[in-house]
Amino acid sequence: MSLQQEIIAKLGVKQTIQVEEEIRKRVDFLKQYIEKAGVDGLLIAISGGIDSAVAAGLCKQATDELTVEKGREYRTLGVFQPYGEQSDITDSYAVAEAFGFTYKMETNIEETVNEIALEAEYGLKSIGIHRHISRAGKGNVKARTRMVLQYALAFDLNLLVVGTDHASEAITGFFTKYGDGAVDITPLSTLNKRQVRQLAAALGVPQSVLDKAPTAGLWEGQTDESELGITYEANSDYLEGKEIDPAAKDKLEKQYRKTEHKRVTIPGV
């Protein structure tokens, strides 16, 4: 078995999907997990990107169906978490509007992140290193601050925190460990980016979200593809078992090996 075949099998990606079937399967998965966990619903952070939009649509459908079937209210809480001024936050609200979210809130993380970054810089100075925390380091603080706030809300409201990770992110490790990677449930996990886009179109994700370049939103101007140096088209082709440019294939496989620690249980003796 080639490494490509091994990765595809491990991440569970299908070469082709039936979109409506995949939506139904994932909504049912969420409903069953809600009941099994004995919670009152789901929490989804809506970033304004396509992955969180698809997850939000699935979550809202799941809790709406459960509310009708069980005769009691189940809720999906949509959380918006800008750092200061977020230029595309209107897309987050457009997603919530498109799916009829009743429960939504905005929690700005700027002050908290800046305080943590400042404390980290004091720590560096205490060991003789006089510099600001790196841009990537602060990006990780942003992702982990968002996670902490989500779990604080989810705990008090008896909700599960829903993740937006999918196979195209998993293969590259393009998520923050204990940040956006720290969730209770991941309804998109076996889809590649192309397939996520197919679900988005079928669910009715707003066109402004469908058209935008994928970004983790950790700093101004950041995009997934420019940071990784690999297009999502090549990434998706690889996960569908197709031949891609050898340089892109090598880069993907190196990234997969490098980020293995993000996809495994914490090691111990």
Side-chain angles (χ1 to χ4, degrees), residues 22-64:
E22 291 295 331
I23 291 172
R24 183 73 262 160
K25 178 172 68 175
R26 290 159 204 284
V27 168
D28 288 344
F29 168 71
L30 289 167
K31 289 165 64 178
Q32 291 160 11
Y33 205 88
I34 289 167
E35 289 196 272
K36 182 180 178 181
V39 296
D40 296 323
L42 306 167
L43 181 153
I44 176 71
I46 305 177
S47 67
I50 195 167
D51 304 333
S52 68
V54 171
L58 297 174
C59 289
K60 188 62 166 56
Q61 185 173 332
T63 53
D64 283 355

Side-chain angles (χ1 to χ4, degrees), residues 46-54 88 91-92 95 205 209 212 215:
I46 305 177
S47 67
I50 195 167
D51 304 333
S52 68
V54 171
D88 63 349
D91 288 331
S92 300
V95 168
V205 169
V209 177
K212 74 197 303 184
T215 174

Side-chain angles (χ1 to χ4, degrees), residues 6-263:
E6 181 185 319
I7 290 170
I8 292 168
K10 197 167 185 177
L11 298 181
V13 183
K14 296 177 182 176
Q15 190 170 28
T16 60
I17 61 168
Q18 297 296 320
V19 174
E20 294 300 332
E21 180 183 306
E22 291 295 331
I23 291 172
R24 183 73 262 160
K25 178 172 68 175
R26 290 159 204 284
V27 168
D28 288 344
F29 168 71
L30 289 167
K31 289 165 64 178
Q32 291 160 11
Y33 205 88
I34 289 167
E35 289 196 272
K36 182 180 178 181
V39 296
D40 296 323
L42 306 167
L43 181 153
I44 176 71
I46 305 177
S47 67
I50 195 167
D51 304 333
S52 68
V54 171
L58 297 174
C59 289
K60 188 62 166 56
Q61 185 173 332
T63 53
D64 283 355
E65 289 183 9
L66 271 181
T67 295
V68 173
E69 292 167 10
K70 302 300 178 181
R72 53 157 290 200
E73 185 183 38
Y74 289 86
R75 70 181 69 168
T76 295
L77 173 63
V79 181
F80 316 123
Q81 297 181 295
Y83 172 82
E85 294 293 325
Q86 179 180 319
S87 60
D88 63 349
I89 198 165
T90 54
D91 288 331
S92 300
Y93 281 96
V95 168
E97 180 70 22
F99 294 126
F101 271 64
T102 303
Y103 301 102
K104 49 188 182 290
M105 67 170 66
E106 183 174 323
T107 60
N108 200 301
I109 65 169
E110 183 176 29
E111 185 176 341
T112 303
V113 168
N114 288 348
E115 287 181 4
I116 293 171
L118 191 60
E119 287 297 322
E121 288 168 11
Y122 285 149
L124 289 173
K125 288 177 184 177
S126 74
I127 58 172
I129 301 172
H130 296 269
R131 64 173 175 81
H132 294 299
I133 188 170
S134 68
R135 184 174 68 171
K138 191 170 183 179
N140 284 342
V141 173
K142 291 177 184 178
R144 290 174 181 140
T145 300
R146 289 181 172 118
M147 178 274 292
V148 170
L149 282 168
Q150 287 170 40
Y151 270 99
L153 293 166
F155 179 82
D156 273 2
L157 295 172
N158 193 32
L159 307 175
L160 293 171
V161 176
V162 179
T164 64
D165 187 39
H166 48 75
S168 286
E169 288 184 344
I171 188 177
T172 57
F174 199 68
F175 57 89
T176 300
K177 199 173 183 178
Y178 313 121
D180 52 315
V183 296
D184 294 315
I185 189 168
T186 54
L188 309 181
S189 58
T190 57
L191 299 170
N192 64 35
K193 189 73 168 186
R194 179 181 294 131
Q195 294 164 348
V196 170
R197 293 187 67 82
Q198 290 174 316
L199 264 65
L203 286 166
V205 169
Q207 194 63 42
S208 61
V209 177
L210 288 170
D211 291 342
K212 74 197 303 184
T215 174
L218 297 179
W219 54 80
E220 193 66 32
Q222 183 267 342
T223 67
D224 298 357
E225 292 179 324
S226 63
E227 189 171 345
L228 288 167
I230 308 165
T231 67
Y232 274 123
E233 282 297 300
N235 180 311
S236 296
D237 282 345
Y238 181 93
L239 288 170
E240 291 170 10
K242 299 171 185 174
E243 289 296 324
I244 64 171
D245 177 76
K249 179 178 181 180
D250 183 61
K251 187 173 285 189
L252 267 177
E253 292 179 348
K254 282 181 178 176
Q255 188 70 14
Y256 178 79
R257 293 188 184 98
K258 178 183 175 182
T259 59
E260 180 63 14
H261 67 97
K262 294 187 175 187
R263 295 181 297 271

